[in-house]
Short mmCIF file of all heavy atoms in Angstrom, two decimals:
data_model
loop_
_atom_site.label_atom_id
_atom_site.label_comp_id
_atom_site.label_asym_id
_atom_site.label_seq_id
_atom_site.Cartn_x
_atom_site.Cartn_y
_atom_site.Cartn_z
N ILE A 7 -20.19 -13.70 -22.74
CA ILE A 7 -19.42 -12.58 -22.28
C ILE A 7 -20.41 -11.34 -22.03
O ILE A 7 -20.37 -10.58 -21.00
CB ILE A 7 -18.38 -12.07 -23.33
CG1 ILE A 7 -17.31 -13.20 -23.45
CG2 ILE A 7 -17.84 -10.66 -23.03
CD1 ILE A 7 -16.50 -13.04 -24.69
N ILE A 8 -21.33 -11.14 -22.93
CA ILE A 8 -22.31 -10.06 -22.76
C ILE A 8 -23.19 -10.35 -21.43
O ILE A 8 -23.40 -9.39 -20.63
CB ILE A 8 -23.27 -10.00 -23.98
CG1 ILE A 8 -22.53 -9.52 -25.15
CG2 ILE A 8 -24.57 -9.03 -23.68
CD1 ILE A 8 -23.24 -9.59 -26.45
N LEU A 9 -23.53 -11.57 -21.27
CA LEU A 9 -24.24 -11.99 -20.06
C LEU A 9 -23.48 -11.58 -18.74
O LEU A 9 -24.03 -11.01 -17.80
CB LEU A 9 -24.70 -13.35 -19.95
CG LEU A 9 -25.47 -13.97 -18.82
CD1 LEU A 9 -26.73 -13.28 -18.69
CD2 LEU A 9 -25.73 -15.44 -18.92
N ASN A 10 -22.31 -11.99 -18.71
CA ASN A 10 -21.39 -11.72 -17.62
C ASN A 10 -21.28 -10.20 -17.28
O ASN A 10 -21.28 -9.73 -16.18
CB ASN A 10 -19.94 -12.37 -17.78
CG ASN A 10 -20.01 -13.76 -17.81
OD1 ASN A 10 -20.87 -14.38 -17.21
ND2 ASN A 10 -19.05 -14.40 -18.61
N VAL A 11 -21.07 -9.53 -18.46
CA VAL A 11 -21.03 -8.05 -18.28
C VAL A 11 -22.33 -7.32 -17.77
O VAL A 11 -22.27 -6.36 -16.92
CB VAL A 11 -20.53 -7.36 -19.63
CG1 VAL A 11 -20.48 -5.88 -19.47
CG2 VAL A 11 -19.14 -7.84 -20.05
N LEU A 12 -23.40 -7.90 -18.21
CA LEU A 12 -24.68 -7.30 -17.78
C LEU A 12 -24.95 -7.58 -16.33
O LEU A 12 -25.42 -6.82 -15.56
CB LEU A 12 -25.87 -8.02 -18.62
CG LEU A 12 -25.93 -7.52 -20.06
CD1 LEU A 12 -27.03 -8.23 -20.86
CD2 LEU A 12 -26.24 -5.98 -20.08
N ILE A 13 -24.50 -8.83 -15.89
CA ILE A 13 -24.64 -9.19 -14.40
C ILE A 13 -23.79 -8.18 -13.62
O ILE A 13 -24.21 -7.70 -12.56
CB ILE A 13 -24.19 -10.59 -14.15
CG1 ILE A 13 -25.11 -11.60 -14.81
CG2 ILE A 13 -24.04 -10.90 -12.71
CD1 ILE A 13 -24.68 -13.07 -14.78
N PHE A 14 -22.49 -7.94 -14.08
CA PHE A 14 -21.59 -6.95 -13.45
C PHE A 14 -22.26 -5.57 -13.36
O PHE A 14 -22.30 -4.95 -12.34
CB PHE A 14 -20.39 -6.88 -14.20
CG PHE A 14 -19.43 -5.85 -13.71
CD1 PHE A 14 -18.78 -5.84 -12.44
CD2 PHE A 14 -19.23 -4.73 -14.60
CE1 PHE A 14 -18.01 -4.74 -12.08
CE2 PHE A 14 -18.35 -3.68 -14.12
CZ PHE A 14 -17.69 -3.75 -12.88
N ILE A 15 -22.90 -5.21 -14.43
CA ILE A 15 -23.54 -3.79 -14.50
C ILE A 15 -24.69 -3.84 -13.55
O ILE A 15 -25.00 -2.84 -12.81
CB ILE A 15 -24.07 -3.51 -15.90
CG1 ILE A 15 -22.86 -3.28 -16.87
CG2 ILE A 15 -24.91 -2.26 -15.97
CD1 ILE A 15 -23.27 -3.17 -18.28
N GLY A 16 -25.38 -5.01 -13.36
CA GLY A 16 -26.57 -5.03 -12.47
C GLY A 16 -26.02 -4.94 -10.99
O GLY A 16 -26.73 -4.29 -10.19
N ILE A 17 -24.88 -5.54 -10.64
CA ILE A 17 -24.35 -5.40 -9.28
C ILE A 17 -23.94 -3.89 -9.07
O ILE A 17 -24.23 -3.33 -8.03
CB ILE A 17 -23.12 -6.32 -9.03
CG1 ILE A 17 -23.60 -7.77 -9.27
CG2 ILE A 17 -22.51 -6.18 -7.69
CD1 ILE A 17 -22.40 -8.75 -9.35
N ILE A 18 -23.41 -3.32 -10.10
CA ILE A 18 -22.93 -1.87 -10.00
C ILE A 18 -24.26 -1.04 -9.70
O ILE A 18 -24.24 -0.18 -8.85
CB ILE A 18 -22.34 -1.42 -11.32
CG1 ILE A 18 -20.87 -2.05 -11.51
CG2 ILE A 18 -22.27 0.11 -11.42
CD1 ILE A 18 -19.87 -1.40 -10.71
N TYR A 19 -25.29 -1.33 -10.41
CA TYR A 19 -26.52 -0.59 -10.15
C TYR A 19 -27.07 -0.82 -8.75
O TYR A 19 -27.57 0.17 -8.20
CB TYR A 19 -27.58 -0.98 -11.23
CG TYR A 19 -28.87 -0.19 -11.13
CD1 TYR A 19 -28.91 1.23 -11.51
CD2 TYR A 19 -30.05 -0.81 -10.69
CE1 TYR A 19 -30.01 1.97 -11.28
CE2 TYR A 19 -31.29 -0.08 -10.60
CZ TYR A 19 -31.26 1.36 -10.89
OH TYR A 19 -32.39 2.02 -10.84
N GLY A 20 -26.99 -2.06 -8.29
CA GLY A 20 -27.37 -2.34 -6.89
C GLY A 20 -26.58 -1.51 -5.96
O GLY A 20 -27.20 -0.91 -4.98
N LEU A 21 -25.25 -1.35 -6.08
CA LEU A 21 -24.44 -0.51 -5.20
C LEU A 21 -24.84 0.95 -5.28
O LEU A 21 -24.82 1.67 -4.25
CB LEU A 21 -23.05 -0.75 -5.62
CG LEU A 21 -22.30 -2.13 -5.32
CD1 LEU A 21 -20.89 -2.10 -5.98
CD2 LEU A 21 -22.26 -2.28 -3.77
N PHE A 22 -25.16 1.38 -6.56
CA PHE A 22 -25.58 2.81 -6.67
C PHE A 22 -26.93 3.03 -6.02
O PHE A 22 -27.06 4.11 -5.31
CB PHE A 22 -25.81 2.98 -8.26
CG PHE A 22 -26.38 4.41 -8.56
CD1 PHE A 22 -25.52 5.55 -8.32
CD2 PHE A 22 -27.65 4.67 -8.93
CE1 PHE A 22 -25.97 6.74 -8.62
CE2 PHE A 22 -28.16 5.87 -9.16
CZ PHE A 22 -27.37 6.92 -9.12
N LEU A 23 -27.86 2.08 -6.02
CA LEU A 23 -29.13 2.24 -5.26
C LEU A 23 -28.91 2.26 -3.73
O LEU A 23 -29.44 2.99 -2.98
CB LEU A 23 -30.00 1.09 -5.61
CG LEU A 23 -30.71 1.04 -6.94
CD1 LEU A 23 -31.58 -0.13 -7.14
CD2 LEU A 23 -31.35 2.44 -7.34
N MET A 24 -27.87 1.53 -3.32
CA MET A 24 -27.58 1.56 -1.88
C MET A 24 -26.94 2.91 -1.41
O MET A 24 -27.35 3.45 -0.46
CB MET A 24 -26.49 0.48 -1.59
CG MET A 24 -26.94 -1.01 -1.61
SD MET A 24 -25.65 -2.06 -1.23
CE MET A 24 -26.46 -3.63 -1.74
N GLN A 25 -26.15 3.43 -2.52
CA GLN A 25 -25.69 4.84 -2.12
C GLN A 25 -26.82 5.89 -2.04
O GLN A 25 -26.82 6.84 -1.17
CB GLN A 25 -24.78 5.27 -3.20
CG GLN A 25 -24.10 6.68 -3.01
CD GLN A 25 -23.09 6.98 -4.06
OE1 GLN A 25 -22.65 6.10 -4.89
NE2 GLN A 25 -22.69 8.27 -4.17
N LYS A 26 -27.78 5.66 -2.88
CA LYS A 26 -28.97 6.66 -2.96
C LYS A 26 -29.71 6.52 -1.59
O LYS A 26 -30.42 7.48 -1.20
CB LYS A 26 -29.74 6.32 -4.08
CG LYS A 26 -29.39 6.79 -5.48
CD LYS A 26 -29.27 8.33 -5.55
CE LYS A 26 -28.82 8.85 -6.96
NZ LYS A 26 -28.77 10.32 -6.96
N LYS A 27 -29.78 5.29 -1.14
CA LYS A 27 -30.56 5.01 0.08
C LYS A 27 -29.74 5.33 1.36
O LYS A 27 -30.08 5.09 2.49
CB LYS A 27 -31.02 3.58 0.24
CG LYS A 27 -32.10 3.33 -0.83
CD LYS A 27 -32.46 1.85 -0.77
CE LYS A 27 -33.60 1.52 -1.87
NZ LYS A 27 -34.04 0.12 -1.75
N HIS A 28 -28.41 5.90 1.14
CA HIS A 28 -27.56 6.42 2.21
C HIS A 28 -27.07 5.18 3.12
O HIS A 28 -26.95 5.38 4.24
CB HIS A 28 -28.39 7.54 3.09
CG HIS A 28 -28.70 8.75 2.34
ND1 HIS A 28 -27.83 9.60 1.65
CD2 HIS A 28 -29.99 9.11 1.93
CE1 HIS A 28 -28.62 10.43 1.03
NE2 HIS A 28 -29.81 10.19 1.22
N ILE A 29 -26.95 3.97 2.58
CA ILE A 29 -26.22 2.85 3.35
C ILE A 29 -24.69 3.29 3.43
O ILE A 29 -24.22 3.88 2.54
CB ILE A 29 -26.47 1.65 2.55
CG1 ILE A 29 -27.92 1.20 2.47
CG2 ILE A 29 -25.55 0.52 3.13
CD1 ILE A 29 -28.20 0.04 1.72
N SER A 30 -24.25 3.11 4.58
CA SER A 30 -22.93 3.61 4.98
C SER A 30 -21.81 3.13 3.91
O SER A 30 -21.92 2.09 3.34
CB SER A 30 -22.45 3.14 6.27
OG SER A 30 -22.23 1.71 6.40
N PHE A 31 -20.83 4.03 3.76
CA PHE A 31 -19.78 3.77 2.86
C PHE A 31 -19.05 2.40 3.19
O PHE A 31 -18.65 1.56 2.27
CB PHE A 31 -18.85 4.89 3.03
CG PHE A 31 -17.65 4.74 2.12
CD1 PHE A 31 -17.72 5.12 0.69
CD2 PHE A 31 -16.38 4.45 2.61
CE1 PHE A 31 -16.53 5.01 -0.12
CE2 PHE A 31 -15.26 4.32 1.79
CZ PHE A 31 -15.31 4.64 0.43
N THR A 32 -18.79 2.18 4.37
CA THR A 32 -18.04 0.95 5.02
C THR A 32 -18.85 -0.24 4.56
O THR A 32 -18.35 -1.24 3.95
CB THR A 32 -17.96 0.96 6.47
OG1 THR A 32 -17.25 2.06 6.84
CG2 THR A 32 -17.28 -0.34 6.91
N LYS A 33 -20.32 -0.29 4.68
CA LYS A 33 -21.06 -1.39 4.37
C LYS A 33 -20.98 -1.71 2.83
O LYS A 33 -20.89 -2.86 2.36
CB LYS A 33 -22.46 -1.22 4.82
CG LYS A 33 -22.62 -1.32 6.33
CD LYS A 33 -24.10 -1.19 6.78
CE LYS A 33 -24.22 -1.31 8.20
NZ LYS A 33 -25.57 -1.13 8.65
N ARG A 34 -21.07 -0.63 2.03
CA ARG A 34 -21.06 -0.72 0.49
C ARG A 34 -19.65 -1.30 0.02
O ARG A 34 -19.69 -2.10 -0.85
CB ARG A 34 -21.35 0.62 -0.08
CG ARG A 34 -22.85 1.02 0.01
CD ARG A 34 -23.17 2.18 -0.76
NE ARG A 34 -22.74 3.44 -0.10
CZ ARG A 34 -21.81 4.45 -0.49
NH1 ARG A 34 -21.23 4.11 -1.61
NH2 ARG A 34 -21.44 5.40 0.24
N VAL A 35 -18.66 -0.88 0.69
CA VAL A 35 -17.29 -1.31 0.35
C VAL A 35 -17.32 -2.88 0.53
O VAL A 35 -16.80 -3.63 -0.24
CB VAL A 35 -16.21 -0.58 1.05
CG1 VAL A 35 -14.87 -1.31 0.82
CG2 VAL A 35 -16.09 0.80 0.57
N PHE A 36 -17.63 -3.21 1.77
CA PHE A 36 -17.63 -4.64 2.13
C PHE A 36 -18.52 -5.53 1.37
O PHE A 36 -18.28 -6.72 0.86
CB PHE A 36 -17.77 -4.92 3.57
CG PHE A 36 -16.52 -4.78 4.35
CD1 PHE A 36 -16.11 -3.57 4.92
CD2 PHE A 36 -15.62 -5.77 4.40
CE1 PHE A 36 -14.79 -3.48 5.58
CE2 PHE A 36 -14.36 -5.74 5.14
CZ PHE A 36 -13.97 -4.64 5.64
#
Side-chain angles (χ1 to χ4, degrees):
I7 293 166
I8 293 173
L9 178 63
N10 293 334
V11 173
L12 288 175
I13 293 173
F14 171 70
I15 293 172
I17 300 173
I18 289 282
Y19 184 67
L21 290 171
F22 176 73
L23 289 180
M24 290 179 189
Q25 182 178 345
K26 287 291 186 181
K27 292 180 179 179
H28 304 291
I29 293 175
S30 73
F31 181 76
T32 302
K33 289 181 180 178
R34 285 186 282 118
V35 169
F36 273 95

